[in-house]
Amino acid sequence: MNIHEYQAKEILSAYGIPVPRGRVALTADQVERAAKEMGGRCVVKAQIHAGGRGKAGGVKLVFHPEEAQNLAKELFGRSLVTPQTGPQGLRVRRILVEEAVEIAREFYLSMTLDRGSSRYILIASAEGGVEIEEVAAKTPEKIHTLSIDPLIGLRPYQARKIALALGLTGSVCEDCVSLILNLHKVLLEKDCSLVEINPLVVTKAGWLMAMDAKITFDDNAVFRHREYPDMMDYSQLDPLEINASKYDLAYIKLDGNIGCMVNGAGLAMATLDVLKECGGEPANFLDVGGGATREKVAEAFKIILQDGDVKGIFVNIFGGIMRCDIIAHGIIEAAAEVKCTLPIVVRMDGSQVEEGKRLLSESGLNVQCGDNLGDAAQRIVQMLKASNGDN
Ligand code: ADP
Ligand code: MG
């Protein structure tokens, strides 16, 4: 689960990490008032669930409340496209108005899960404010990492080593040690999978400050924090994803043209791999889980069909807990309801498979059943090629 920069900064601030003075606004008038409060000269920051806003025009220094208001009007009306949003961008619904800070130096600091070592890892660099991936690729020696032992935790001497590696000295170095330890506390106590400050800055007056903040909560721990659901900004999510979560379906948007309905995450991964191997491009994957009902399958099918990129549908279900005839009923019901004419290939196996196949073949839909996963994947790819050729 992602939250906005201003929400992440509220958390950091509660843990004693200095952030610029700011106010979040929902209208252009509020932006103007907030700018006045800051004394006119301030930074206007579009709040979207993506970084790279600065270069995309979503973070700007203004000198007048009126200028802030005009910029806000422009930002509220459009989607912001950054390298992290995809081509359609994300709608701006909230704007953070912040005091303009005189920056002397910018650093990068984050803590995240390293799946390889099953540990949290701290990443820091004196080259902050820019694409950290670029720094890592071109000048890996400028990235400092520290694997955090889950038993010992993060010790002050380790934090100090990082602060020194960033070139900090004296009291700013000690401020940085406290900041790193506090950030680690946020990471653990708030169940985060990522806390990132980019840039962490030293101001011209010599203060350490988090100028940007990104926090991702671990979805599996959201139930432990009652306040998290209220922090969610649904305008930043794909409407199909919201719909899918209502029915407890896992939906992931991808950029191809084959809609995939699968039961189980492992089978989903294998399905995507095999489709790719056959030259197909998945448009999404929708995991209906183990014991889905007929209604759930029908909802899943409808969600896939609402994705405008989908030109064909691939269903790969193993009927263990779920019976194949129930799946067939769900597909037929949903396809009839939304008048689906797209090519469908179904690979089913397990309980009641013959009955499921019979129901599908007698349904009048543009559907084929594959004998096995490889065969079925090839069929949907070929059906799509053939229908492309028709156009
Ligand atoms: P993003 O990472 O999405 O581009 P940031 O919040 O990091 O957005 O802002 C981009 C840049 O704008 C920062 O690297 C920093 O140099 C500058 N900046 C951001 N907030 C302020 C502020 N309050 N005062 C002065 N400069 C700022
Ligand atoms: Mg940033």
Side-chain angles (χ1 to χ4, degrees):
M1 176 187 158
N2 289 314
I3 56 172
H4 286 299
E5 172 197 6
Y6 79 91
Q7 294 167 315
K9 280 178 166 166
E10 279 168 13
I11 294 176
L12 295 187
S13 181
Y15 279 76
I17 296 175
V19 299
R21 202 156 49 90
R23 225 180 237 295
V24 66
L26 300 171
T27 64
D29 286 345
Q30 286 180 352
V31 169
E32 188 209 13
R33 257 183 288 144
K36 237 181 227 160
E37 202 179 335
M38 302 289 157
R41 186 172 177 273
C42 59
V43 178
V44 171
K45 307 183 81 175
Q47 298 295 288
I48 55 168
H49 284 182
R53 297 163 301 163
K55 281 184 192 157
V59 177
K60 275 193 183 154
L61 176 69
V62 297
F63 297 89
H64 242 275
E66 207 176 300
E67 196 187 347
Q69 188 182 30
N70 289 336
L71 176 58
K73 276 184 191 154
E74 193 192 302
L75 286 171
F76 276 135
R78 67 181 181 112
S79 291
L80 200 60
V81 180
T82 84
Q84 293 181 17
T85 60
Q88 71 288 351
L90 284 170
R91 288 288 302 275
V92 181
R93 309 294 284 269
R94 304 173 197 192
I95 286 179
L96 175 63
V97 181
E98 227 172 42
E99 66 172 310
V101 175
E102 302 281 345
I103 299 171
R105 293 178 66 190
E106 298 196 331
F107 305 91
Y108 175 93
L109 176 66
S110 73
M111 294 178 197
T112 187
L113 264 178
D114 173 29
R115 294 178 197 282
S117 62
S118 306
R119 285 179 173 199
Y120 280 122
I121 182 173
L122 178 154
I123 303 169
S125 174
E127 300 277 318
V130 285
E131 291 282 330
I132 192 70
E133 292 84 0
E134 211 176 294
V135 181
K138 286 187 188 151
T139 47
E141 70 280 0
K142 289 187 177 161
I143 307 268
H144 310 281
T145 61
L146 172 73
S147 176
I148 303 171
D149 188 310
L151 284 180
I152 301 168
L154 183 64
R155 313 307 301 171
Y157 80 89
Q158 293 174 309
R160 192 165 295 111
K161 216 165 148 184
I162 293 291
L164 289 169
L166 293 178
L168 298 173
T169 52
S171 66
V172 182
C173 177
E174 283 314 301
D175 288 348
C176 187
V177 172
S178 312
L179 186 145
I180 289 172
L181 295 173
N182 287 335
L183 191 65
H184 183 240
K185 239 175 159 180
V186 172
L187 179 76
L188 298 186
E189 289 179 10
K190 296 290 176 187
D191 284 317
C192 308
S193 53
L194 170 76
V195 289
E196 184 183 72
I197 304 178
N198 186 26
L200 169 70
V201 309
V202 175
T203 67
K204 286 202 172 140
W207 296 102
L208 204 59
M209 228 182 220
M211 204 55 43
D212 187 9
K214 178 175 177 181
I215 289 184
T216 306
F217 298 131
D218 180 346
D219 288 329
N220 295 308
V222 168
F223 77 97
R224 296 208 288 209
H225 304 267
R226 285 177 162 216
E227 71 281 19
Y228 287 1
D230 289 338
M231 294 172 82
M232 196 100 144
D233 178 2
Y234 287 98
S235 75
Q236 301 295 304
L237 296 179
D238 180 340
L240 292 184
E241 254 171 60
I242 300 171
N243 217 354
S245 70
K246 265 191 218 154
Y247 292 95
D248 203 22
L249 303 160
Y251 169 87
I252 308 282
K253 176 80 186 112
L254 302 167
D255 40 359
N257 58 3
I258 304 174
C260 302
M261 185 163 90
V262 187
N263 65 337
L267 196 60
M269 290 308 195
T271 304
L272 301 191
D273 281 349
V274 174
L275 272 178
K276 283 254 181 191
E277 240 165 61
C278 296
E281 289 294 336
N284 52 46
F285 90 69
L286 204 148
D287 178 2
V288 293
T293 58
R294 183 167 160 165
E295 290 76 29
K296 208 163 161 180
V297 169
E299 283 308 324
F301 207 75
K302 279 189 249 171
I303 288 169
I304 289 182
L305 287 172
Q306 280 169 41
D307 180 344
D309 296 334
V310 169
K311 300 288 178 264
I313 298 170
F314 187 48
V315 179
N316 185 15
I317 302 269
F318 184 74
I321 306 170
M322 195 199 284
R323 281 179 13 212
C324 294
D325 56 331
I326 293 180
I327 297 155
H329 275 303
I331 293 172
I332 294 165
E333 230 171 76
E337 202 182 315
V338 293
K339 300 188 176 60
C340 168
T341 54
L342 296 177
I344 307 169
V345 172
V346 179
R347 181 260 173 169
M348 297 197 287
D349 221 334
S351 177
Q352 301 291 324
V353 63
E354 293 310 325
E355 176 64 3
K357 282 185 179 171
R358 187 188 66 77
L359 286 168
L360 285 171
S361 63
E362 291 172 5
S363 66
L365 293 171
N366 184 10
V367 62
Q368 290 189 16
C369 291
D371 293 329
N372 55 50
L373 178 51
D375 170 56
Q378 262 163 11
R379 276 183 199 229
I380 187 67
V381 173
Q382 268 154 22
M383 279 170 96
L384 278 182
K385 266 190 197 149
S387 64
N388 263 346
D390 291 348
N391 294 337

